[in-house]
Amino acid sequence: MKISKFEYQGPDGDGDISFDMEATVENSTEHVMQLVKTNCFLLNEDGICSGGSADDEIDVYIDPKETSSIDVQLGWGHAASSFGGKLDKIKGIVDAVCFRREFQKMGEIEVPKDHNSSAFYDKKINIGGMVSVLGGVCKRAKPDDDGDVTVSLDVGVRNISDSFVERVSAKMILVDQEDAQIEDTEDSGHLAPHTGRILSLSVYTKPGKLRNATVRLSLSVFHPVEHKSAEAVAVKG
C-alpha cells in the first residue's frame, strides 16, 4: 500500500485544519478483495498522536495482482494547535486489513399475507466452517398512519470457531409479483469467537406492492487475507 495523496487545508476561521488522503492498495493474494478496513494516526512533529480515525470500512473489488485507489478517512475537527503550528511536519500512519468475501444465497420466501402471520427461513447452513446460520423469521406489520407496511426479517448467526469474524452481513431484497425489486436493505456486525447475534432488516412500502411479493435473503462473511501499512508527511493542499 502506498499513500498517493496526503494534503491539509487551513487553518480556517476557527483554527481548524482538514485533511485529504488517498492510497493505492495492491492485491498480492490469490483472492478477490471486497473489503478494506483502515485506521489512521495523525502525528505531530514529536511523534505524538494528535488525531485520526479508526474502524473505517471501504467496499472494494480488487482482483488478484490488481491495484485500486481508496479514500482514507482521517476524522474531522482537528485544531491546528494540536500539531504545534508546524503543519508541514504532520505525519500520517495508515494500517489496513484486506478481506475476501464468502457469499451464500439463503433463498426466497413469500411475504406474510397479513400482520397475524409469519414466514420462516428454515434453511440452516454453515458458512466456511465458522458461521452457523440458524434460519430466520419474516414478519409484516399493520399499515401505519401513512398507509405504509413494514416488512421485517430477523436472522440468527453464530460464530462456532475460535477466530474473530470481523464482519458478517445479511442482505434482504423485497421483490414484487413481476419479479421487480421494490426495496432492499442490509445489516451487519462482527462476531467474537463462540458468540452470536441477530441481524435485523426491515423495509416499508405500500400494501398493494406486497401482493404475492417475496423476500430474497443472502449472507456474506468476510475473512482477512492481508495486512498493510504506509506513512507519509502532509503537504499544503
Side-chain angles (χ1 to χ4, degrees):
M1 181 172 68
K2 296 181 179 179
I3 297 175
S4 54
K5 178 181 180 181
F6 183 29
E7 297 178 348
Y8 69 88
Q9 294 82 34
D12 60 17
D14 296 322
D16 292 339
I17 55 176
S18 58
F19 294 94
D20 187 12
M21 179 183 284
E22 297 176 5
T24 56
V25 178
E26 180 182 0
N27 183 354
S28 57
T29 77
E30 60 183 15
H31 305 285
V32 175
M33 290 179 179
Q34 293 192 251
L35 176 69
V36 176
K37 190 167 185 176
T38 64
N39 64 261
C40 183
F41 301 101
L42 297 171
L43 309 181
N44 65 16
E45 181 185 28
D46 297 321
I48 298 172
C49 180
S50 300
S53 186
D55 295 327
D56 297 306
E57 295 184 350
I58 306 164
D59 291 318
V60 297
Y61 192 95
I62 311 175
D63 282 310
K65 312 309 176 186
E66 295 294 325
T67 300
S68 182
S69 178
I70 62 171
D71 294 323
V72 180
Q73 299 298 313
L74 301 175
W76 56 87
H78 302 289
S81 60
S82 299
F83 302 96
K86 299 180 179 179
L87 305 184
D88 59 344
K89 302 294 184 180
I90 299 172
K91 178 187 287 187
I93 300 178
V94 182
D95 301 309
V97 185
C98 305
F99 298 84
R100 68 176 177 89
R101 184 185 73 166
E102 192 162 0
F103 178 78
Q104 178 68 52
K105 290 183 178 180
M106 289 293 292
E108 188 170 1
I109 59 173
E110 291 187 2
V111 173
K113 300 301 182 185
D114 55 43
H115 66 277
N116 291 315
S117 58
S118 298
F120 300 93
Y121 274 98
D122 56 7
K123 190 174 183 180
K124 300 176 183 178
I125 62 171
N126 181 293
I127 302 177
M130 297 182 68
V131 176
S132 174
V133 184
L134 304 179
V137 59
C138 180
K139 294 170 285 187
R140 172 177 176 163
K142 292 181 179 181
D144 61 19
D145 293 340
D146 296 322
D148 293 326
V149 173
T150 297
V151 178
S152 63
L153 178 62
D154 291 328
V155 183
V157 292
R158 294 179 65 221
N159 182 355
I160 57 175
S161 75
D162 295 326
S163 301
F164 187 88
V165 176
E166 185 66 46
R167 178 173 160 187
V168 55
S169 64
K171 183 173 184 178
M172 164 188 172
I173 302 176
L174 182 63
V175 181
D176 69 15
Q177 61 184 349
E178 296 179 343
D179 204 37
Q181 179 175 320
I182 302 172
E183 296 286 349
D184 70 327
T185 187
E186 295 187 42
D187 187 27
S188 63
H190 61 261
L191 288 173
H194 302 287
T195 64
R197 69 187 306 137
I198 305 295
L199 297 175
S200 297
L201 309 101
S202 65
V203 297
Y204 65 91
T205 188
K206 297 300 181 183
K209 293 185 177 182
L210 295 178
R211 190 177 303 111
N212 300 319
T214 58
V215 170
R216 293 173 185 164
L217 174 66
S218 60
L219 290 173
S220 298
V221 177
F222 293 84
H223 305 280
V225 292
E226 197 168 23
H227 296 76
K228 299 176 179 292
S229 295
E231 59 183 65
V233 175
V235 298
K236 178 72 173 179

